[in-house]
Every structure is written in structure tokens, then in C-alpha cells.
Amino acid sequence: MKKKLLAVLAAFVIAGTANVFALGIGAQGGYAVGGNGGAALSLKVDTLPCVLAIDLGFGNNYVSVGATADWWVANPAIQGTWGYFYGVGVGGNVALSDPMALLVGPRLVAGTNLFLLDGFLELYLQAAWQPSFTMVVGSDTASGQFLWGYVPVNVGFRVWL
């Protein structure tokens, strides 16, 4: 019984030290047509098709905090380590201002990426069409509108660990 327990523990130790997935983490900056500029932290795990970003936006008299989750449908190679990607996702942010605003909507994403230094560094450029519902909450009123022309464009990098 002790040998079986020791064998199971050894298997867990070996499995725990194996590199099961790679993690890409980096920064991106950009500008949104229909919005303003900002910076974000980007995160991708190679075993999942989802790319996450947490961003901080800025404009005249406001700061916004947001997040996106994009599911890449495909990421085929153009040549060598240079490829393109496209997919769908969801995004939203909260503008911390007076009045406060909330923006949320689906995303269609497309871009290009290039891996350098044996896959250690990924450079990318992406654009998303994000038609969004916006809710503005004032001191005593609230109003909503739909934005068809919200198009964030980002450039960034990820380091793969």
C-alpha cells in the first residue's frame, strides 16, 4: 500500500513539474474610434483560444477601467512566424467621471501577430468592431444609447513564459 501511495505521489510531482501550458503576458496601447486612448495588460494561455485584456482609458475629465475577452477562431501563418488572427469576443468598461458611464458589447476581432526570439516575444496589431450599448448615469438621470461605430485599435507585445 505504501508503494502504491509513493508511486501516485511521484506521478503528481513529475506532472507538476512538466510544462503543461505556456503563458503570454504583455502590454498594449491603442485608440478607439468613437472613444479615446488607453493602455492595457494582455494575457493569453496557449491552451485556451481566449485572449484577455484589462485596460485603463483616459479622456477629457475622465478615466475608464475595462476588460475584453476575445476568442480567436483561427490564427493561421502567413509566412514563418508571421500570422493573422480573427475571432469574436465581448468587451466593456466603466468611465469614472461625472456623469458615470457603462459601455458593453460584442466584438469582431482581426489582427496580425509576429513571433520573435524563438517564440519568446509576440508583437501584434489588432482592430475590433465593438457595437456597444452605453448607459450614462448622471446625478439624477440615466440615459442609454447604442454606438455602432466603436472601433478600438491596439498595438502590443506579449512575452511567453
Side-chain angles (χ1 to χ4, degrees):
M1 181 67 168
K2 288 183 182 181
K3 288 182 182 181
K4 288 181 183 179
L5 180 61
L6 188 58
V8 170
L9 288 174
F12 280 130
V13 168
I14 292 169
T17 60
N19 190 4
V20 178
F21 63 90
L23 172 70
I25 188 165
Q28 70 183 28
Y31 182 80
V33 176
N36 285 306
L41 176 66
S42 173
L43 177 72
K44 181 164 182 4
V45 178
D46 70 346
T47 57
L48 300 174
C50 183
V51 180
L52 303 172
I54 299 171
D55 61 84
L56 182 65
F58 45 87
N60 292 336
N61 300 321
Y62 82 91
V63 173
S64 67
V65 179
T68 60
D70 296 328
W71 287 266
W72 289 6
V73 173
N75 186 197
I78 295 172
Q79 182 177 5
T81 60
W82 176 37
Y84 68 96
F85 57 89
Y86 56 91
V88 297
V90 64
N93 65 42
V94 175
L96 307 171
S97 61
D98 187 22
M100 224 169 93
L102 169 69
L103 179 138
V104 64
R107 294 166 49 95
L108 293 176
V109 181
T112 185
N113 59 346
L114 175 66
F115 287 92
L116 302 171
L117 305 172
D118 290 330
F120 176 72
L121 178 64
E122 177 188 9
L123 304 176
Y124 63 91
L125 172 67
Q126 73 178 23
W129 177 51
Q130 185 177 330
S132 299
F133 177 73
T134 303
M135 175 66 77
V136 177
V137 180
S139 56
D140 293 330
T141 63
S143 64
Q145 67 179 10
F146 199 80
L147 301 175
W148 285 100
Y150 186 62
V151 181
V153 178
N154 301 102
V155 61
F157 72 91
R158 278 186 282 270
V159 175
W160 285 87
L161 309 171

Coordinates of all heavy atoms in Angstrom, one line a residue, residues 55-156:
D55 N -7.9 47.0 -19.2 CA -7.4 48.3 -19.7 C -7.8 49.5 -18.9 O -8.7 49.4 -18.1 CB -7.8 48.5 -21.2 CG -9.3 48.6 -21.3 OD1 -9.9 49.7 -21.1 OD2 -9.9 47.6 -21.7
L56 N -7.0 50.5 -19.0 CA -7.2 51.8 -18.4 C -7.2 52.8 -19.5 O -6.3 53.0 -20.3 CB -6.0 52.1 -17.4 CG -6.1 53.4 -16.6 CD1 -7.3 53.3 -15.7 CD2 -4.8 53.5 -15.8
G57 N -8.4 53.5 -19.6 CA -8.6 54.5 -20.6 C -8.5 55.9 -20.0 O -8.7 56.1 -18.8
F58 N -8.3 56.9 -20.9 CA -8.3 58.3 -20.4 C -8.9 59.2 -21.5 O -8.8 58.9 -22.7 CB -6.9 58.7 -20.0 CG -5.9 58.3 -21.0 CD1 -5.5 59.1 -22.1 CD2 -5.2 57.1 -20.9 CE1 -4.6 58.7 -23.0 CE2 -4.2 56.7 -21.8 CZ -3.9 57.5 -22.9
G59 N -9.5 60.3 -21.0 CA -10.0 61.3 -21.9 C -10.2 62.6 -21.2 O -9.6 62.8 -20.2
N60 N -11.0 63.5 -21.8 CA -11.2 64.8 -21.1 C -12.0 64.6 -19.9 O -13.2 64.2 -19.9 CB -11.9 65.7 -22.1 CG -11.0 66.1 -23.3 OD1 -9.8 66.1 -23.1 ND2 -11.6 66.5 -24.4
N61 N -11.4 64.8 -18.7 CA -12.1 64.8 -17.4 C -12.6 63.4 -17.0 O -13.6 63.3 -16.3 CB -13.2 65.8 -17.4 CG -12.7 67.2 -17.6 OD1 -11.6 67.5 -17.1 ND2 -13.4 68.0 -18.3
Y62 N -12.0 62.3 -17.5 CA -12.5 61.0 -17.0 C -11.4 60.0 -17.2 O -10.4 60.1 -17.9 CB -13.7 60.5 -17.8 CG -13.5 59.9 -19.1 CD1 -13.3 58.5 -19.2 CD2 -13.4 60.7 -20.3 CE1 -13.0 57.9 -20.5 CE2 -13.2 60.1 -21.5 CZ -13.0 58.7 -21.6 OH -12.8 58.1 -22.8
V63 N -11.5 58.9 -16.4 CA -10.7 57.7 -16.5 C -11.6 56.5 -16.6 O -12.7 56.5 -16.0 CB -9.8 57.6 -15.3 CG1 -9.0 56.3 -15.3 CG2 -8.8 58.7 -15.2
S64 N -11.3 55.5 -17.4 CA -12.2 54.4 -17.5 C -11.4 53.1 -17.3 O -10.2 53.0 -17.5 CB -12.8 54.3 -18.9 OG -11.9 54.0 -19.9
V65 N -12.1 52.1 -16.8 CA -11.5 50.8 -16.5 C -12.3 49.8 -17.2 O -13.6 49.8 -17.2 CB -11.5 50.5 -15.0 CG1 -10.9 49.1 -14.7 CG2 -10.8 51.5 -14.2
G66 N -11.7 48.9 -18.0 CA -12.4 48.0 -18.8 C -11.7 46.6 -18.9 O -10.6 46.4 -18.5
A67 N -12.4 45.7 -19.6 CA -11.9 44.4 -19.9 C -12.5 43.9 -21.2 O -13.6 44.2 -21.6 CB -12.3 43.4 -18.7
T68 N -11.7 43.0 -21.9 CA -12.1 42.3 -23.1 C -11.7 40.9 -23.0 O -10.8 40.5 -22.3 CB -11.5 42.9 -24.3 OG1 -10.1 42.8 -24.3 CG2 -11.9 44.4 -24.5
A69 N -12.5 40.0 -23.6 CA -12.2 38.6 -23.7 C -12.5 38.3 -25.2 O -13.7 38.4 -25.6 CB -13.1 37.8 -22.8
D70 N -11.5 37.9 -25.9 CA -11.6 37.6 -27.4 C -11.3 36.1 -27.6 O -10.2 35.7 -27.1 CB -10.7 38.5 -28.2 CG -11.0 40.0 -28.1 OD1 -12.2 40.3 -28.0 OD2 -10.1 40.8 -28.2
W71 N -12.2 35.5 -28.3 CA -11.9 34.1 -28.7 C -11.5 34.0 -30.1 O -12.3 34.3 -31.0 CB -13.2 33.2 -28.5 CG -13.5 33.0 -27.1 CD1 -13.2 31.9 -26.3 CD2 -14.2 33.9 -26.2 NE1 -13.6 32.1 -25.0 CE2 -14.2 33.3 -24.9 CE3 -14.8 35.1 -26.3 CZ2 -14.8 33.8 -23.8 CZ3 -15.4 35.7 -25.2 CH2 -15.4 35.1 -24.0
W72 N -10.2 33.6 -30.3 CA -9.7 33.5 -31.7 C -10.3 32.3 -32.4 O -10.2 31.2 -31.9 CB -8.2 33.4 -31.6 CG -7.5 34.7 -31.2 CD1 -8.1 35.8 -30.8 CD2 -6.1 34.9 -31.2 NE1 -7.1 36.8 -30.5 CE2 -5.9 36.2 -30.7 CE3 -5.0 34.1 -31.5 CZ2 -4.6 36.8 -30.6 CZ3 -3.8 34.7 -31.4 CH2 -3.6 36.0 -30.9
V73 N -10.9 32.5 -33.5 CA -11.4 31.4 -34.3 C -10.3 30.7 -35.0 O -10.2 29.5 -35.1 CB -12.5 31.9 -35.3 CG1 -12.9 30.8 -36.3 CG2 -13.7 32.5 -34.6
A74 N -9.3 31.5 -35.5 CA -8.2 30.9 -36.2 C -7.0 31.9 -36.1 O -7.1 33.1 -35.9 CB -8.5 30.7 -37.7
N75 N -5.8 31.3 -36.2 CA -4.5 32.1 -36.2 C -3.5 31.4 -37.2 O -2.5 30.9 -36.8 CB -3.9 32.1 -34.8 CG -2.7 33.0 -34.6 OD1 -2.0 32.9 -33.7 ND2 -2.5 33.9 -35.6
P76 N -3.9 31.4 -38.5 CA -3.0 30.7 -39.5 C -1.8 31.6 -39.8 O -1.7 32.8 -39.6 CB -3.9 30.6 -40.7 CG -4.9 31.7 -40.6 CD -5.1 31.9 -39.1
A77 N -0.7 30.9 -40.2 CA 0.5 31.5 -40.6 C 0.4 32.2 -42.0 O -0.2 31.6 -42.9 CB 1.7 30.5 -40.6
I78 N 1.0 33.3 -42.1 CA 1.1 34.0 -43.4 C 2.5 33.5 -44.1 O 2.5 33.0 -45.2 CB 1.1 35.5 -43.3 CG1 -0.2 36.0 -42.9 CG2 1.5 36.1 -44.7 CD1 -0.3 37.5 -42.5
Q79 N 3.5 33.6 -43.2 CA 4.8 33.1 -43.6 C 5.7 32.9 -42.4 O 5.8 33.9 -41.6 CB 5.5 34.0 -44.6 CG 6.8 33.5 -45.1 CD 7.5 34.4 -46.2 OE1 6.9 35.5 -46.5 NE2 8.6 34.0 -46.7
G80 N 6.2 31.8 -42.2 CA 7.1 31.5 -41.0 C 6.3 31.8 -39.7 O 5.3 31.2 -39.4
T81 N 6.9 32.7 -38.9 CA 6.3 33.0 -37.6 C 5.3 34.2 -37.6 O 4.9 34.7 -36.6 CB 7.4 33.3 -36.5 OG1 8.1 34.4 -37.0 CG2 8.2 32.1 -36.3
W82 N 5.0 34.7 -38.8 CA 4.1 35.8 -39.0 C 2.7 35.2 -39.4 O 2.6 34.4 -40.3 CB 4.6 36.7 -40.1 CG 3.7 37.9 -40.4 CD1 2.9 38.6 -39.6 CD2 3.5 38.4 -41.7 NE1 2.2 39.6 -40.3 CE2 2.6 39.5 -41.6 CE3 4.0 38.1 -43.0 CZ2 2.1 40.2 -42.7 CZ3 3.6 38.9 -44.1 CH2 2.7 39.9 -43.9
G83 N 1.7 35.7 -38.7 CA 0.4 35.2 -38.9 C -0.7 36.2 -38.8 O -0.4 37.4 -38.6
Y84 N -1.9 35.8 -39.0 CA -3.0 36.7 -38.8 C -4.1 35.9 -37.9 O -4.0 34.7 -37.8 CB -3.6 37.2 -40.1 CG -4.3 36.2 -40.9 CD1 -5.7 36.0 -40.8 CD2 -3.6 35.4 -41.8 CE1 -6.4 35.0 -41.6 CE2 -4.2 34.4 -42.6 CZ -5.6 34.2 -42.5 OH -6.2 33.3 -43.2
F85 N -5.0 36.7 -37.3 CA -6.0 36.0 -36.5 C -7.3 36.8 -36.6 O -7.3 37.9 -37.0 CB -5.6 36.0 -35.0 CG -5.3 37.3 -34.4 CD1 -6.2 38.1 -33.8 CD2 -4.0 37.8 -34.4 CE1 -5.9 39.3 -33.2 CE2 -3.6 39.0 -33.8 CZ -4.6 39.8 -33.2
Y86 N -8.4 36.1 -36.3 CA -9.7 36.7 -36.3 C -10.6 35.9 -35.3 O -10.3 34.8 -35.0 CB -10.3 36.7 -37.7 CG -10.4 35.4 -38.4 CD1 -11.6 34.6 -38.2 CD2 -9.4 34.9 -39.1 CE1 -11.7 33.3 -38.8 CE2 -9.5 33.6 -39.8 CZ -10.6 32.9 -39.6 OH -10.7 31.7 -40.2
G87 N -11.6 36.6 -34.8 CA -12.4 35.9 -33.8 C -13.5 36.8 -33.3 O -13.8 37.9 -33.9
V88 N -14.2 36.4 -32.3 CA -15.3 37.1 -31.6 C -15.0 37.3 -30.2 O -14.1 36.6 -29.6 CB -16.6 36.4 -31.8 CG1 -17.0 36.2 -33.3 CG2 -16.6 35.0 -31.2
G89 N -15.7 38.2 -29.5 CA -15.4 38.4 -28.1 C -16.5 39.3 -27.5 O -17.5 39.6 -28.1
V90 N -16.2 39.8 -26.3 CA -17.0 40.7 -25.6 C -16.1 41.7 -24.9 O -15.0 41.4 -24.5 CB -18.0 39.9 -24.6 CG1 -17.2 39.2 -23.5 CG2 -19.0 40.8 -24.0
G91 N -16.6 42.9 -24.7 CA -15.8 43.9 -24.0 C -16.7 44.9 -23.3 O -17.9 45.0 -23.6
G92 N -16.2 45.6 -22.3 CA -16.9 46.5 -21.6 C -16.0 47.4 -20.8 O -14.9 47.1 -20.5
N93 N -16.5 48.6 -20.4 CA -15.7 49.4 -19.5 C -16.7 50.4 -18.7 O -17.8 50.6 -19.1 CB -14.6 50.2 -20.2 CG -15.1 51.2 -21.2 OD1 -16.0 51.9 -21.0 ND2 -14.4 51.2 -22.3
V94 N -16.1 50.9 -17.7 CA -16.8 51.9 -16.8 C -16.0 53.2 -16.8 O -14.8 53.1 -16.5 CB -17.0 51.3 -15.4 CG1 -17.6 52.4 -14.5 CG2 -17.8 50.1 -15.4
A95 N -16.6 54.3 -17.2 CA -16.0 55.6 -17.2 C -16.3 56.2 -15.8 O -17.4 56.4 -15.5 CB -16.5 56.5 -18.3
L96 N -15.2 56.4 -15.1 CA -15.3 57.0 -13.8 C -15.2 58.6 -13.9 O -14.1 59.1 -14.0 CB -14.2 56.5 -12.9 CG -14.1 55.0 -12.9 CD1 -12.8 54.6 -12.1 CD2 -15.3 54.4 -12.2
S97 N -16.4 59.1 -14.1 CA -16.5 60.6 -14.3 C -17.8 61.1 -13.8 O -18.6 60.3 -13.2 CB -16.4 60.9 -15.8 OG -17.4 60.3 -16.5
D98 N -18.1 62.3 -14.0 CA -19.4 62.8 -13.7 C -20.0 63.4 -14.9 O -19.6 64.5 -15.4 CB -19.3 63.9 -12.6 CG -20.6 64.4 -12.1 OD1 -21.6 63.6 -12.2 OD2 -20.7 65.5 -11.5
P99 N -21.0 62.8 -15.6 CA -21.7 61.6 -15.1 C -20.9 60.3 -15.4 O -20.0 60.3 -16.3 CB -23.0 61.6 -15.9 CG -22.6 62.3 -17.2 CD -21.5 63.3 -16.8
M100 N -21.2 59.2 -14.7 CA -20.6 57.9 -14.9 C -21.2 57.3 -16.1 O -22.3 57.5 -16.4 CB -20.8 57.1 -13.6 CG -19.6 56.4 -13.2 SD -19.8 55.6 -11.6 CE -20.3 54.0 -12.1
A101 N -20.4 56.4 -16.8 CA -20.9 55.7 -18.0 C -20.5 54.3 -18.0 O -19.4 53.9 -17.5 CB -20.4 56.4 -19.2
L102 N -21.3 53.4 -18.5 CA -21.0 52.0 -18.7 C -21.2 51.7 -20.2 O -22.1 52.0 -20.8 CB -22.0 51.2 -17.9 CG -22.0 49.7 -18.1 CD1 -20.7 49.0 -17.6 CD2 -23.2 49.0 -17.4
L103 N -20.2 50.9 -20.7 CA -20.2 50.5 -22.1 C -20.0 49.0 -22.2 O -19.1 48.5 -21.6 CB -19.1 51.3 -22.9 CG -19.0 51.0 -24.4 CD1 -18.7 52.3 -25.1 CD2 -17.9 50.0 -24.6
V104 N -20.8 48.3 -22.9 CA -20.7 46.9 -23.0 C -21.2 46.4 -24.4 O -22.2 47.0 -24.9 CB -21.4 46.1 -21.9 CG1 -22.9 46.3 -21.9 CG2 -21.0 44.6 -21.9
G105 N -20.5 45.4 -25.0 CA -20.9 45.0 -26.3 C -20.1 43.8 -26.8 O -19.0 43.5 -26.3
P106 N -20.6 43.2 -27.9 CA -19.9 42.1 -28.6 C -18.7 42.7 -29.4 O -18.7 43.8 -29.7 CB -20.9 41.4 -29.4 CG -21.9 42.5 -29.8 CD -21.9 43.4 -28.5
R107 N -17.8 41.8 -29.8 CA -16.6 42.3 -30.6 C -16.4 41.3 -31.7 O -16.5 40.1 -31.6 CB -15.4 42.3 -29.7 CG -15.4 43.3 -28.6 CD -14.3 43.1 -27.6 NE -12.9 42.9 -28.1 CZ -12.0 43.9 -28.2 NH1 -12.4 45.1 -28.0 NH2 -10.8 43.7 -28.7
L108 N -16.0 41.9 -32.9 CA -15.4 41.1 -34.0 C -14.0 41.6 -34.1 O -13.7 42.8 -34.3 CB -16.2 41.4 -35.3 CG -17.6 40.9 -35.4 CD1 -18.2 41.3 -36.7 CD2 -17.6 39.3 -35.3
V109 N -13.0 40.7 -34.0 CA -11.6 41.0 -33.8 C -10.8 40.4 -35.0 O -11.1 39.3 -35.5 CB -11.0 40.4 -32.5 CG1 -9.6 40.8 -32.4 CG2 -11.8 40.8 -31.4
A110 N -9.9 41.2 -35.5 CA -9.0 40.8 -36.6 C -7.6 41.5 -36.3 O -7.6 42.6 -35.9 CB -9.5 41.1 -38.0
G111 N -6.5 40.8 -36.7 CA -5.2 41.4 -36.5 C -4.1 40.5 -37.1 O -4.4 39.5 -37.7
T112 N -2.9 40.9 -36.8 CA -1.7 40.2 -37.3 C -0.8 40.1 -36.1 O -0.7 41.0 -35.2 CB -1.1 40.9 -38.5 OG1 0.0 40.1 -38.9 CG2 -0.6 42.3 -38.2
N113 N 0.0 39.0 -36.0 CA 1.0 38.8 -35.0 C 2.3 38.2 -35.6 O 2.3 37.5 -36.6 CB 0.4 38.0 -33.8 CG 0.0 36.6 -34.2 OD1 -0.2 36.3 -35.4 ND2 -0.3 35.8 -33.2
L114 N 3.4 38.5 -34.9 CA 4.7 38.0 -35.3 C 5.4 37.6 -34.1 O 5.5 38.3 -33.1 CB 5.5 39.2 -36.0 CG 6.9 38.9 -36.3 CD1 7.0 37.9 -37.4 CD2 7.6 40.2 -36.8
F115 N 5.9 36.3 -34.1 CA 6.7 35.8 -33.0 C 8.2 35.9 -33.3 O 8.7 35.6 -34.4 CB 6.4 34.3 -32.8 CG 5.1 34.1 -32.2 CD1 3.9 33.9 -33.0 CD2 4.9 34.1 -30.8 CE1 2.7 33.7 -32.4 CE2 3.7 33.9 -30.2 CZ 2.6 33.7 -31.0
L116 N 9.0 36.4 -32.3 CA 10.4 36.7 -32.5 C 11.1 35.9 -31.3 O 10.5 35.5 -30.3 CB 10.7 38.1 -32.4 CG 10.0 39.0 -33.4 CD1 10.3 40.5 -33.1 CD2 10.6 38.7 -34.8
L117 N 12.4 35.8 -31.5 CA 13.3 35.2 -30.4 C 12.8 33.8 -30.1 O 12.6 33.5 -28.9 CB 13.3 36.1 -29.2 CG 13.8 37.5 -29.4 CD1 13.6 38.4 -28.2 CD2 15.2 37.5 -29.9
D118 N 12.6 32.9 -31.1 CA 12.2 31.6 -30.9 C 10.8 31.5 -30.1 O 10.6 30.6 -29.3 CB 13.2 30.7 -30.2 CG 14.4 30.5 -31.0 OD1 14.3 30.4 -32.3 OD2 15.5 30.4 -30.5
G119 N 9.9 32.4 -30.4 CA 8.6 32.3 -29.8 C 8.5 33.0 -28.4 O 7.5 33.0 -27.8
F120 N 9.6 33.6 -28.0 CA 9.6 34.2 -26.6 C 8.8 35.5 -26.7 O 8.2 35.9 -25.7 CB 11.0 34.5 -26.2 CG 11.1 35.2 -24.9 CD1 10.8 34.6 -23.7 CD2 11.6 36.5 -24.8 CE1 10.9 35.3 -22.5 CE2 11.7 37.2 -23.7 CZ 11.3 36.6 -22.5
L121 N 8.9 36.3 -27.8 CA 8.3 37.6 -27.9 C 7.3 37.6 -29.0 O 7.6 37.2 -30.1 CB 9.3 38.7 -28.1 CG 8.9 40.1 -28.3 CD1 8.2 40.6 -27.0 CD2 10.0 41.0 -28.7
E122 N 6.0 38.0 -28.7 CA 5.0 38.2 -29.7 C 4.6 39.7 -29.9 O 4.3 40.3 -28.9 CB 3.7 37.4 -29.3 CG 2.6 37.6 -30.3 CD 1.3 36.9 -29.8 OE1 1.2 36.5 -28.6 OE2 0.3 36.9 -30.5
L123 N 4.7 40.2 -31.1 CA 4.2 41.5 -31.4 C 2.9 41.4 -32.2 O 2.8 40.5 -33.0 CB 5.3 42.2 -32.3 CG 6.7 42.3 -31.8 CD1 7.6 43.0 -32.8 CD2 6.7 43.1 -30.5
Y124 N 2.0 42.3 -31.9 CA 0.7 42.2 -32.6 C 0.1 43.6 -32.8 O 0.4 44.6 -32.1 CB -0.3 41.3 -31.8 CG -0.6 41.8 -30.5 CD1 -1.7 42.6 -30.2 CD2 0.1 41.4 -29.4 CE1 -2.1 43.0 -29.0 CE2 -0.2 41.8 -28.1 CZ -1.3 42.6 -27.9 OH -1.6 43.1 -26.7
L125 N -0.8 43.6 -33.8 CA -1.6 44.7 -34.2 C -3.0 44.2 -34.4 O -3.2 43.2 -35.1 CB -1.1 45.4 -35.4 CG -2.0 46.5 -36.0 CD1 -2.0 47.7 -35.1 CD2 -1.5 46.9 -37.4
Q126 N -4.0 44.8 -33.7 CA -5.4 44.3 -33.9 C -6.4 45.4 -33.9 O -6.1 46.5 -33.4 CB -5.7 43.3 -32.7 CG -6.0 44.0 -31.4 CD -6.4 43.0 -30.3 OE1 -6.1 41.8 -30.4 NE2 -7.0 43.5 -29.3
A127 N -7.5 45.1 -34.5 CA -8.7 46.1 -34.5 C -9.9 45.2 -34.2 O -10.0 44.1 -34.5 CB -8.8 46.7 -35.9
A128 N -10.9 45.9 -33.6 CA -12.1 45.2 -33.3 C -13.3 46.2 -33.6 O -13.2 47.4 -33.3 CB -12.2 44.8 -31.8
W129 N -14.3 45.6 -34.1 CA -15.6 46.4 -34.2 C -16.4 45.9 -33.0 O -16.7 44.8 -32.8 CB -16.3 46.0 -35.5 CG -17.6 46.7 -35.7 CD1 -17.9 48.1 -35.5 CD2 -18.9 46.1 -36.0 NE1 -19.2 48.3 -35.7 CE2 -19.8 47.1 -36.0 CE3 -19.3 44.8 -36.3 CZ2 -21.2 46.9 -36.3 CZ3 -20.6 44.6 -36.5 CH2 -21.5 45.6 -36.5
Q130 N -16.8 46.9 -32.2 CA -17.5 46.6 -31.0 C -18.7 47.5 -30.9 O -18.7 48.5 -30.2 CB -16.5 46.9 -29.8 CG -17.1 46.5 -28.4 CD -16.1 46.7 -27.3 OE1 -14.9 46.6 -27.5 NE2 -16.6 47.0 -26.1
P131 N -19.8 47.1 -31.6 CA -21.0 47.9 -31.4 C -21.5 47.7 -29.9 O -21.5 46.6 -29.4 CB -22.0 47.2 -32.3 CG -21.5 45.9 -32.6 CD -20.0 45.9 -32.4
S132 N -21.7 48.8 -29.3 CA -21.9 48.8 -27.8 C -23.1 49.6 -27.3 O -23.4 50.6 -27.9 CB -20.6 49.3 -27.1 OG -19.5 48.6 -27.4
F133 N -23.7 49.1 -26.3 CA -24.7 49.8 -25.6 C -24.0 50.6 -24.5 O -23.2 50.1 -23.7 CB -25.7 48.8 -24.9 CG -26.8 49.5 -24.1 CD1 -27.8 50.2 -24.7 CD2 -26.7 49.5 -22.7 CE1 -28.7 50.9 -24.0 CE2 -27.7 50.1 -22.0 CZ -28.7 50.8 -22.6
T134 N -24.4 51.9 -24.4 CA -23.8 52.8 -23.4 C -24.9 53.3 -22.5 O -25.9 53.8 -23.0 CB -23.1 54.0 -24.1 OG1 -22.1 53.4 -25.0 CG2 -22.4 54.9 -23.1
M135 N -24.6 53.2 -21.2 CA -25.6 53.8 -20.2 C -24.8 54.9 -19.5 O -23.8 54.6 -18.9 CB -26.0 52.7 -19.3 CG -26.9 53.2 -18.1 SD -28.5 53.8 -18.6 CE -29.3 52.3 -18.9
V136 N -25.4 56.1 -19.5 CA -24.8 57.2 -18.8 C -25.7 57.5 -17.6 O -26.9 57.6 -17.7 CB -24.8 58.5 -19.7 CG1 -24.3 59.7 -18.9 CG2 -23.9 58.2 -20.9
V137 N -25.0 57.5 -16.4 CA -25.8 57.7 -15.2 C -25.3 59.0 -14.6 O -24.2 59.2 -14.2 CB -25.5 56.6 -14.2 CG1 -26.2 56.8 -12.9 CG2 -25.8 55.2 -14.8
G138 N -26.2 60.0 -14.6 CA -25.9 61.3 -14.0 C -26.3 61.4 -12.6 O -26.6 60.4 -11.9
S139 N -26.4 62.6 -12.0 CA -26.7 62.8 -10.6 C -28.2 62.3 -10.3 O -28.4 61.7 -9.4 CB -26.5 64.2 -10.2 OG -27.2 65.1 -11.0
D140 N -29.1 62.6 -11.3 CA -30.5 62.3 -11.0 C -31.1 61.5 -12.2 O -32.2 61.1 -12.2 CB -31.3 63.5 -10.8 CG -31.0 64.2 -9.5 OD1 -30.6 63.5 -8.5 OD2 -31.1 65.4 -9.4
T141 N -30.4 61.4 -13.3 CA -30.9 60.8 -14.5 C -30.1 59.7 -15.1 O -28.9 59.6 -14.7 CB -31.1 61.9 -15.6 OG1 -29.8 62.3 -16.0 CG2 -32.0 63.0 -15.2
A142 N -30.6 58.9 -15.9 CA -29.9 57.8 -16.6 C -30.4 57.8 -18.1 O -31.6 57.9 -18.3 CB -30.1 56.5 -16.0
S143 N -29.5 57.6 -19.0 CA -29.9 57.6 -20.4 C -29.0 56.5 -21.1 O -27.8 56.3 -20.7 CB -29.7 58.9 -21.1 OG -28.4 59.3 -21.1
G144 N -29.5 55.9 -22.1 CA -28.8 54.9 -22.9 C -28.8 55.2 -24.3 O -29.7 55.8 -24.9
Q145 N -27.8 54.7 -25.0 CA -27.7 54.8 -26.5 C -26.9 53.6 -27.0 O -26.1 53.0 -26.3 CB -27.1 56.1 -26.9 CG -25.6 56.3 -26.6 CD -25.1 57.7 -27.1 OE1 -25.9 58.5 -27.5 NE2 -23.8 57.8 -27.1
F146 N -27.0 53.4 -28.3 CA -26.3 52.3 -28.9 C -25.2 52.9 -29.8 O -25.6 53.8 -30.7 CB -27.2 51.4 -29.7 CG -26.6 50.0 -30.0 CD1 -26.6 49.0 -29.0 CD2 -26.0 49.8 -31.2 CE1 -26.0 47.8 -29.2 CE2 -25.5 48.5 -31.5 CZ -25.4 47.6 -30.5
L147 N -24.0 52.5 -29.7 CA -22.9 53.0 -30.5 C -22.5 52.0 -31.6 O -22.0 50.9 -31.2 CB -21.7 53.3 -29.7 CG -21.8 54.4 -28.6 CD1 -20.5 54.5 -27.8 CD2 -22.2 55.7 -29.1
W148 N -22.8 52.3 -32.8 CA -22.4 51.3 -33.9 C -21.0 51.5 -34.3 O -20.4 50.5 -34.8 CB -23.3 51.5 -35.1 CG -24.7 51.0 -34.9 CD1 -25.8 51.7 -34.6 CD2 -25.1 49.7 -35.0 NE1 -26.9 50.9 -34.4 CE2 -26.5 49.6 -34.7 CE3 -24.5 48.5 -35.2 CZ2 -27.2 48.4 -34.7 CZ3 -25.2 47.3 -35.2 CH2 -26.5 47.3 -34.9
G149 N -20.4 52.6 -34.1 CA -19.1 52.9 -34.6 C -17.9 52.9 -33.6 O -16.9 53.6 -33.8
Y150 N -18.0 52.1 -32.6 CA -16.9 52.0 -31.6 C -15.9 50.9 -32.2 O -16.2 49.8 -32.3 CB -17.5 51.6 -30.3 CG -16.4 51.6 -29.2 CD1 -15.8 52.7 -28.8 CD2 -16.1 50.4 -28.5 CE1 -14.9 52.8 -27.8 CE2 -15.2 50.4 -27.5 CZ -14.6 51.6 -27.1 OH -13.7 51.6 -26.1
V151 N -14.7 51.4 -32.5 CA -13.7 50.6 -33.1 C -12.3 50.8 -32.4 O -11.6 51.7 -32.8 CB -13.5 50.9 -34.6 CG1 -12.5 49.9 -35.3 CG2 -14.8 50.7 -35.4
P152 N -12.0 49.9 -31.4 CA -10.7 50.0 -30.8 C -9.6 49.4 -31.7 O -9.8 48.3 -32.2 CB -10.8 49.3 -29.5 CG -12.1 48.5 -29.6 CD -12.9 49.0 -30.7
V153 N -8.5 50.1 -31.8 CA -7.3 49.6 -32.5 C -6.1 49.6 -31.5 O -5.9 50.6 -30.8 CB -6.9 50.5 -33.7 CG1 -5.7 50.0 -34.4 CG2 -8.1 50.6 -34.6
N154 N -5.4 48.4 -31.4 CA -4.4 48.3 -30.4 C -3.1 47.7 -31.1 O -3.1 46.9 -32.0 CB -4.8 47.3 -29.3 CG -6.0 47.8 -28.6 OD1 -7.1 47.3 -28.8 ND2 -5.8 48.7 -27.7
V155 N -2.0 48.1 -30.5 CA -0.7 47.5 -30.8 C 0.0 47.1 -29.5 O -0.2 47.8 -28.5 CB 0.2 48.5 -31.6 CG1 0.5 49.8 -30.8 CG2 1.5 47.9 -32.1
G156 N 0.6 45.9 -29.5 CA 1.2 45.5 -28.3 C 2.2 44.4 -28.4 O 2.6 44.0 -29.5

